[in-house]
Amino acid sequence: MGGQRDEELPESGLRLPPNPVLPVTPGETITVLVHFHRAEIGRMTGWRDRIDLTSNWAITVVAGMLSVSLSTPAAHHGVLLFAMVLVMLLLSIEARRYRFFDVYRTRVRRLERHYYAQVFAPRPDVDADWGERMAADLREPRFLISRRTAMSRRLRRNYFWMFLVLLAAWVLKISSSWLLQDSVLVDPARPVPDLVQNLALGPVPGWLVLAGVGTFYGWVVYATFRPSAKLGELAHGDVHV
């Protein structure tokens, strides 16, 4: 067999070890499938653990910043704005990790759906080209979802609620005089100008801070609830990360 032929280096005369032998019997093929399935589950689990770790960091950041900001009037409301930036950074990192996770999860689910499901209950409508798609993915691995889609999925799962908690705490902070040191008392007759004045962040005027926060949360709402088709494994069942 060609796969078993030793290759000789032209200059040194040394022989390279033969290429791994391909399975030739059904039993050998099943053994390869079992080990491949186990290996891909290990990869998928590793990336899933990384996703959970990033989410835990984000929750810790939110809890820590809330306790610092709301515990004393000396804490500036910019602490909560900084928390929003940190959580956004963690969301970006988690979206990247989720794209890797999606690659390995798709391999596992494709093997389970087209092979193992056929073992337990054969159906005539099985996709005949799933093996070719699996081979193409192994030869040239590519991300299956965009960064935009990954961020939307992570927002819907976890991060939208974290941003909502931070926004509620920020509104409470800027609207409560007892939570802001050296703040301008908000006149009930004209609350908006006094409130905007309290939003100033160093040389940045309050109206610009308010516009920035409003624009950011407009994007968060859009990215979370924008209509999107169920792509990839989301089109098969409801148990997904």
Side-chain angles (χ1 to χ4, degrees), residues 2-228:
Q4 295 178 327
R5 184 180 66 251
D6 289 349
E7 297 182 4
E8 184 175 339
L9 295 179
E11 297 180 356
S12 62
L14 298 177
R15 290 182 177 274
L16 295 176
N19 294 326
V21 179
L22 298 177
V24 294
T25 65
E28 293 175 347
T29 303
I30 292 174
T31 300
V32 170
L33 288 175
V34 168
H35 287 291
F36 173 72
H37 181 250
R38 183 181 300 154
E40 292 302 304
I41 285 182
R43 281 177 163 181
M44 182 185 71
T45 303
W47 283 104
R48 172 59 192 272
D49 290 341
R50 294 184 181 186
I51 291 174
D52 291 341
L53 183 60
T54 315
S55 297
N56 292 339
W57 289 347
I59 294 172
T60 302
V61 167
V62 171
M65 294 300 186
L66 285 179
S67 60
V68 169
S69 177
L70 301 180
S71 61
T72 172
H76 197 272
H77 72 91
V79 172
L80 292 173
L81 298 179
F82 181 61
M84 295 175 190
V85 173
L86 286 181
V87 173
M88 182 62 197
L89 175 62
L90 291 171
L91 170 61
S92 179
I93 295 173
E94 185 163 321
R96 177 180 177 274
R97 293 179 174 183
Y98 182 82
R99 295 179 75 194
F100 280 98
F101 166 79
D102 182 70
V103 170
Y104 302 117
R105 175 188 55 189
T106 299
R107 291 179 186 174
V108 170
R109 287 291 300 122
R110 184 175 291 160
L111 187 60
E112 291 175 346
R113 189 169 62 254
H114 296 300
Y115 182 78
Y116 288 104
Q118 286 295 103
V119 171
F120 292 107
R123 289 183 177 179
D125 58 346
V126 65
D127 187 356
D129 298 329
W130 71 271
E132 294 182 5
R133 293 204 305 275
M134 181 79 79
D137 180 56
L138 290 173
R139 289 190 174 99
E140 296 184 11
R142 299 178 184 274
F143 288 122
L144 305 177
I145 59 175
S146 65
R147 189 179 186 85
R148 177 185 177 187
T149 301
M151 293 186 75
S152 293
R153 291 185 183 178
R154 300 320 299 160
L155 277 166
R156 284 194 293 269
R157 294 295 188 273
N158 294 322
Y159 283 81
F160 174 74
W161 309 108
M162 298 184 203
F163 283 123
L164 201 61
V165 169
L166 288 174
L167 178 62
W170 185 70
V171 171
L172 177 63
K173 181 76 174 178
I174 64 177
S175 61
S176 303
S177 299
W178 57 276
L179 283 176
L180 281 176
Q181 191 177 36
D182 300 329
S183 63
V184 177
L185 294 178
V186 178
D187 186 358
R190 49 190 302 275
V192 176
D194 295 336
L195 187 61
V196 171
Q197 184 176 350
N198 288 333
L199 295 181
L201 193 63
V204 182
W207 66 267
L208 189 57
V209 173
L210 183 61
V213 173
T215 302
F216 173 72
Y217 272 88
W219 172 84
V220 168
V221 171
Y222 168 75
T224 303
F225 298 104
R226 69 182 181 89
S228 59

